[in-house]
Every structure is written in structure tokens, then in C-alpha cells.
Amino acid sequence: MDDTLRKAALDYHRYPRPGKLAITPTKRMETSRDLALAYSPGVAAACLAIKDDPDTSYDYTIRGNLVAVITNGTAVLGLGNIGALASKPVMEGKAVLFKKFAGIDTFDIEVNEPDPDRFIEVVAALEPSFGGINLEDIKAPECFRIEQTLRARMNIPVFHDDQHGTAIIVGAAVTNALRLQDKAIGDVRIVTSGAGAAAISCVNILIALGAKRENVTMTDIEGVIYQGRPKLDPTLEAFARETGARTLNEVLDGADIFLGLSAPGVLKAEWLGKFAPNPLILALANPEPEIMPDLVAEHRPDAIICTGRSDFPNQVNNVLCFPFIFRGALDVGATAITEGMKLAAVTAIAGLTRIEASETVAAAYGGQAPVFGPDYIIPKPFDPRLILHIAPAVAKAAMDEGVARRPIADFDVYAHELERFVFRSGLLLRPVIEVARQARQRIVYAEGEDERTLRAAQSVIDDRLGIPLLVGRSETILRRIASLGLRMKPEQDFRIVDFERDTGLFRRLLDDYQRIVGRRGVPPDAATRQLSRRPTVAAGMLLSAGEADAAICGGLGDWSRQFRYAMPIIQRRKGISRVSAVTALILQSGNLFFCDTHVNEDPSAEEIAEMTHLAADMVARFGIAPKVALLSHSNFGASNSPSARKMRQALALIRAEDPELEVDGEMHADDALFEPIRARSVCDSRLTGSANLLVLPNIDSANISFNLLKAAGEAVTVGPFLLGLAKPLHIAVPSVTARGLINMSAVAAMEAALLAK
């Protein structure tokens, strides 16, 4: 580690506050009643319920989502026995990974006890506090006895990640590599460099996958693990071979797989010729592997290589599995993590690699989507699909093996619930997605050549949200689909709209478009150029002509310009005077909708009332009861400024038209979001709880508020969505991601389905 990285790492851990973790309450503590419920006397009710039925601890406490990361600091990373206290930054980091990747709360516990028997007693006594135990950085061979004893004594999952996490990823890598190399696992010869906890677990899982024990040769710092070797550790006796070979070099002839879990540079470039054709080399020592990938590529270009480093392809990283294994185990109340659960994780990871990568993974590869092959046999750690594949597989295996106390009844529902850990938009969009799936509407995408659109279209097809129509040049679209490794097939899964090829469709749409814009200052020649060169115009006309049921435009160029291109084409709904826009923010604290963020600069009271009704209808389509706050600098009549009077007038109009709508104003934003503050301002507000639809007096306040909260709250954006059009057409902002386009597609498809009824 150089001085620059060392200083950066120390600053990262120290500022703006020491450490990487904090405890955050999940309940508000604002009133004396809150205190009475959270502590004395109310807490006694929960205590007595657990006393009567211990399983209710999962209902009334954090236990069902709480894992302990526990170490004694005897084998920390590559630093060795540095002690419990010095290991704390690593354990905090592990806890952050649990939370980041799987939403699991974690306490790091550093036990200053090197004696295995005493350590076991400490950990076993902690069972009432946790739903699972992740053992970490404990040296071999003690780690084997510690885990085995704790698994026998404790009725919750105990998992030593240094052993099994590495083994699961190695199992997935071997599965996929052999698939590419057209080799059977029962036939391959395996040589290890290293015979510690991780190496033994890796070999065991490969044997469980079908490798033959007699085809495995293990070596350590003293050479080959052979029968009769003096002072051989008992944990290695089962792997001792009857052989005259004594060094790593001597056992490489004809090896198909090299599994390195040892030290830098132990595999020499001149030995690479000894391997069988098309070998798999897993050089997993970190930070410097047993052999550098460039040397392998130079001497054995037919080899597939994995390392433990993020700067090379095929990184074997435990974060690929341990958060998701615990997620699945916790969600079914597993009493243990069994061999079957680990093998289910292997199969899930291997299978995920063989489908096209997500946008997030593409970003991790510098924008180039990895495609299953020699440089991509295991996923990237930041692939958001991991939890959706691994957790259900582990949960189902736990049920099959009889260790699940709370079996999952409906795995489709469970998959939807897991989406909240992947895309925070998952739960907000769940009712929308269900409607979209049932209807399978045709969705036209104006920017059909854009990579984000293509990734979104693949997901729309996979999730059965609709049938994509892609506007663009056929050759370009097909070439980019191939380069991204996507699976969708033209005409079978989607349709390309290429006006250079489909001249008949172009002429039909052109006649209609010339009529639409002919009295708006656009002569026929200009209309021809606009339809052929402006994708938003093309998508709008396809929607208008009934060739599509919904349209997603924009994502490139200025949003307002795209809006102006589309507006002459799609008429407003009957009785609607102005089009407006609503955008959702998904925050850790909940969902907020903002109106109008994009269209109307300074709407009148009548226009605010109209857009509020439209926005409330949109919120209701998400399965959320709208709670509307008309925001202002003025709080409940405190000012007679024009904007304050406008919001008061809008409130009167809204209530007159829909007396049942939960709406109030004009009010400050804090009054809207916090009921105790609002109660101090007025005593008769019809608004209860926290508002979820914020209507602002003009576009400046709406857009500024939305973007400030988005930036400060690390929020996920859904939208914007245009309100008041006769057909669903929405325009994406330039910063939209593929996930954002998928979200917009689901909403557009839902709207189209409702209009068709």
C-alpha cells in the first residue's frame, strides 16, 4: 500500500465521523407516548410475549434481520494474527457489506479470546441476540472446530465465510469454466496451492459437485500433502495422496484446474506448459496472486484465469454470496446453513453469469457489458441481480432440507419483496408492474439505438411488462444488441421501426403528421424532415396512429425541446386544459411525489387544482392513498402574497370538486411532512400523517425542491410522468438510467391498460 492510498484509507475511516457504522432507530421518539411504547411500561408487553413464545422474538425485535460478524482477530486478511481490536475496521466493513447488498443489520463483535474453547462459549452465549452468526478471520485449524461446535450447539445459522464464501464462488467459477471448456468435473485433475480453511472448503464443494477425491492433489508451504507426511495436521489426512511427488511443480503435469489460495508468485510462468489443454487457473492470493494474469495470457492463451482482485476479470469475491445466503436463510428462519443451501448458491451464481449483464455491471466494466465467456465466468460483486437469484435459491433449499422454521408460501411474492434491496423503486412499482404484466402493451421507444433503451427493452421483455417497438436504424440496433450480449430477437420479442426500410408506414404517418402541424407553421417539407429525423416525433406518431399503446421518448437532448416536439401530436384528455408533470422520489423514509416539476412555469389556481386531481389519480395507481399538501412560503393564511392566495384558492377548488381527497394547505414543507409540527400550526387539518404528494406554486419551486431532496437524500427518481394526455406518452430526462426507463415503461403500460378498459 503506497502512502497516498494509506492516507486516503485513514481519512475515509476517520471523517466526517469515526468508523463506518451507526445505529439508527426504526421508530420515532418524539412524544411521551412514544417513550411509553418503546420503553417502560409498554416494552413489557413485548417481553412477556417473547417469554411465552420465543419465536415471537422475530416479530417484536430486530433479531430476524440481525447477524453478528464475530472474530478473535487471529487471521485477519493477509495481516495475520493482529488481535481482536485491530480487526475491528474489517468487521465494520463486513457489516457495511451486509447492509449495502442485502439490507441485513449487523453488529460487529471482536472477542479478545484466542483460546478456541473459551471463544466458543462466548459466541454460543450470544444466540438470543441474533438471527445468524458470521464467523470471520479465525485461523486454521481452530476455525474448523469452532464452526463445527457452534453449528451443533446453536439453533441459528453459523457460517465461516472465509471457508465457505470462497468455496461457493470457486464452485460457480469451476462450473462455468468447465462448461466453456467442454470438460466434465468428474474427469478433471485439480491441484491446489494452499491447504488452509478456504482451500479445504473449496475442495469439499468441488467434490460435492462431482469432482473425484483421487483427482485432487493438495499442496501447502511444505509441499505435497502425501500419505505418511510427518506432522500432518489431522484436518488434511483425508486429502493425503499416495504419491512420490513432493513439490508443486511435480504435480502440475496434466492438471486441468489450479486452485491457488496461498502466496504471491508461487506458480511460475515456465510451469504453465505442464497443464492440460484449456486449463482453469484460480490465482486467488491477494493483493498479489500466485501468478499474474498477463503471464498466463502470454504463455497459455487457452487458459481461463480468476483472481481475487477487482482490476482483473473474474474476481472471486466473497461479497458475491455471503449477504444473499444470509438473506435467504433469515427470511425462512433457517436453523442452519446446510451443504444443500451452499450448493444452491453455487448453481444460482453460475446460472446468473450465463444471462446478459445488467446496466450496473456494464458500468463496472467501464461501460462494456460482459458476455458469458472466458473473461466473464462469475458476476461482478455489484451486480444487483445477485440477491434475486441467490436468496430464493438458498431459501428454497433450506425448506427442502427441513431447516426452515418460517417457510415461504409464494416465491413470486418473495421475489417482489427482494426487489426493495435491488432497486428501491421495487415496492412502489409493484402494483403498477402487476397491471402491466397482465396487459402486455406495445411500448414504442423513441431512442431505440441508445444502450440504456436496449437494456431496458430486454428487461421489459424478460419481466413481461410489454412488447417493445424500437425506433432507429435496423443495422445499428441489431449490432448493439449483439455487442451488449442481449438475448432479444426481432419480430419474436420486439419490433424495429426503421423508416428507411418501412417506407409505406412512413408515408402513412407523414400524411397524418403534415395535417397535424400544417396549421402550426410547419410546411410539408419541414414536416417530412421532422418525422424522419426526430425520434420523439416518430414515436408520438406511432402512438397516435395506433401502432403502439404507449411511448417513452427523450433521454437524449433537452427535455423541454422533446416536450415541444411531442405535444402537437397527442391530444389532451377531454376536459383537461393543461398538461402537467409529476415525478416521484423514493427515499429511505418513504415515497414523495412532486407536481409540477417540468411543464407549467406559473400555473393559476384553477390549473393547480386540475393538476392536483390528475397527480392524486396517478399516486392512487401506485396503490398509495394520496395525501396532498399544497406548499407555500406561507403557512395556513400567514401571508396575503399572490402565491399564497393562489394556493388557498386552489385548495378551495380542490375540496369543492373532491371533498373526500385528503388535502390541505397552503403550508410549509415541514408541516406537510411532520404531523406534530402541523398540529402546532393548526388544530383542524384534514391531512393525517405525512403528505406523499407535494404540489408547489410554480415550476421553479417544484424543480428546485425535487432536485435538492434528490441530491441530499440519495433518492431514486421515478418519472417524470406527463399528466392529462389522451394516450400515455412520457419523456425521460437525459440522466435517466436503464432502470429508470423500465420504471417509466411499467407506468406507461399500466396507463395504456387502464385506458383500454
Side-chain angles (χ1 to χ4, degrees), residues 191-195 199 217-220 248 258-263 266 290:
V191 174
T192 80
S193 174
T217 303
M218 298 188 73
T219 71
D220 62 9
L248 174 63
F258 171 82
L259 175 59
L261 290 154
S262 54
V266 299
E290 285 80 1

Side-chain angles (χ1 to χ4, degrees), residues 154-194:
M154 302 181 79
N155 203 34
I156 57 176
V158 178
F159 185 81
H160 186 206
D161 184 47
D162 295 326
Q163 294 180 58
H164 310 303
T166 301
I168 288 166
I169 308 307
V170 165
V174 169
T175 298
N176 279 339
L178 295 183
R179 186 186 184 102
L180 289 171
Q181 296 159 330
D182 196 24
K183 296 180 180 181
I185 192 167
D187 298 333
V188 296
R189 291 193 57 241
I190 302 167
V191 174
T192 80
S193 174

Side-chain angles (χ1 to χ4, degrees), residues 356-675:
E356 77 281 348
S358 69
E359 179 189 26
T360 306
V361 179
Y365 274 82
Q368 291 296 318
V371 178
F372 179 56
D375 287 338
Y376 182 63
I377 61 171
I378 45 177
K380 275 282 187 179
F382 280 91
D383 190 324
R385 303 166 300 171
L386 285 162
I387 192 171
L388 301 178
H389 285 250
I390 300 173
V394 170
K396 188 175 187 305
M399 293 164 57
D400 292 342
E401 300 209 329
V403 297
R405 286 179 293 197
R406 300 187 303 277
I408 293 170
D410 189 329
F411 272 87
D412 288 335
V413 172
Y414 179 53
H416 286 310
E417 292 172 349
L418 288 174
E419 288 177 359
R420 72 186 188 274
F421 301 117
V422 184
F423 309 109
R424 281 174 284 171
S425 50
L427 289 182
L428 174 65
L429 289 164
R430 180 173 171 179
V432 172
I433 289 171
E434 290 306 316
V435 174
R437 281 177 174 163
Q438 293 173 17
R440 298 294 302 276
Q441 300 292 302
R442 299 165 299 168
I443 308 170
V444 60
Y445 296 88
E447 302 296 342
E449 299 177 4
D450 187 76
E451 178 180 325
R452 296 167 297 175
T453 300
L454 295 173
R455 292 190 184 283
Q458 181 69 73
S459 292
V460 166
I461 293 165
D462 290 343
D463 293 340
R464 306 188 308 279
L465 297 178
I467 302 168
L469 282 70
L470 305 177
V471 175
R473 295 163 294 179
S474 299
E475 294 83 357
T476 301
I477 291 173
L478 294 175
R479 184 175 67 250
R480 289 180 179 171
I481 287 173
S483 68
L484 294 170
L486 303 178
R487 294 169 288 106
M488 54 186 183
K489 306 296 182 185
E491 301 307 322
Q492 177 180 326
D493 300 317
F494 71 99
R495 174 184 163 196
I496 297 174
V497 180
D498 184 347
F499 286 151
E500 291 183 3
R501 293 191 171 191
D502 196 342
T503 55
L505 176 61
F506 178 77
R507 284 194 297 269
R508 291 198 305 274
L509 296 181
L510 179 60
D511 290 341
D512 290 338
Y513 185 60
Q514 287 174 337
R515 282 194 293 271
I516 290 171
V517 298
R519 300 282 179 174
R520 295 172 179 262
V522 181
D525 288 348
T528 303
R529 290 193 299 272
Q530 289 179 5
L531 181 59
S532 62
R533 298 178 185 177
R534 293 177 178 172
T536 293
V537 172
M541 285 306 303
L542 288 164
L543 177 61
S544 176
E547 296 286 335
D549 304 301
I552 304 296
C553 305
L556 296 175
D558 179 68
W559 189 94
S560 298
R561 184 178 298 113
Q562 305 297 332
F563 177 78
R564 290 195 296 272
Y565 294 158
M567 282 310 96
I569 300 171
I570 305 300
Q571 296 181 347
R572 296 189 297 273
R573 281 164 47 186
K574 186 177 181 180
I576 300 299
S577 64
R578 297 289 295 272
V579 174
S580 54
V582 64
T583 311
L585 276 185
I586 302 166
L587 301 152
Q588 295 291 352
S589 57
N591 307 311
L592 284 178
F593 292 79
F594 288 78
C595 185
D596 172 9
T597 49
H598 282 77
V599 179
N600 296 289
E601 292 185 5
D602 188 14
S604 66
E606 291 76 14
E607 289 165 348
I608 287 175
E610 181 179 78
M611 70 173 64
T612 298
H613 289 301
L614 293 171
D617 288 343
M618 175 65 82
V619 172
R621 290 174 190 168
F622 285 86
I624 299 172
K627 296 175 179 287
V628 187
L630 305 181
L631 300 189
S632 172
H633 75 283
S634 173
N635 205 35
F636 298 108
S639 170
N640 266 325
S641 69
S643 64
R645 291 199 305 271
K646 178 174 70 173
M647 299 309 280
R648 287 199 291 272
Q649 292 166 7
L651 176 65
L653 293 169
I654 294 166
R655 285 181 171 173
E657 186 170 336
D658 187 357
E660 301 301 319
L661 181 63
E662 196 170 326
V663 57
D664 209 344
E666 85 286 13
M667 68 175 73
H668 290 163
D670 54 352
D671 283 72
L673 298 178
F674 298 105
E675 189 170 30

Side-chain angles (χ1 to χ4, degrees), residues 202-214:
C202 287
V203 169
N204 281 334
I205 212 162
L206 293 178
I207 291 172
L209 289 169
K212 294 179 180 177
R213 187 178 294 271
E214 60 267 26

Side-chain angles (χ1 to χ4, degrees), residues 115-189:
D115 180 76
D117 292 320
R118 295 178 64 183
F119 181 82
I120 288 168
E121 294 303 320
V122 171
V123 177
L126 296 173
E127 181 171 346
S129 295
F130 298 98
I133 302 292
N134 185 98
L135 299 173
E136 193 77 18
D137 290 352
I138 302 169
K139 71 183 180 72
E142 289 93 333
C143 63
F144 301 114
R145 182 162 65 88
I146 287 172
E147 184 190 38
Q148 183 178 9
T149 304
L150 288 172
R151 288 182 64 179
R153 287 182 57 175
M154 302 181 79
N155 203 34
I156 57 176
V158 178
F159 185 81
H160 186 206
D161 184 47
D162 295 326
Q163 294 180 58
H164 310 303
T166 301
I168 288 166
I169 308 307
V170 165
V174 169
T175 298
N176 279 339
L178 295 183
R179 186 186 184 102
L180 289 171
Q181 296 159 330
D182 196 24
K183 296 180 180 181
I185 192 167
D187 298 333
V188 296
R189 291 193 57 241

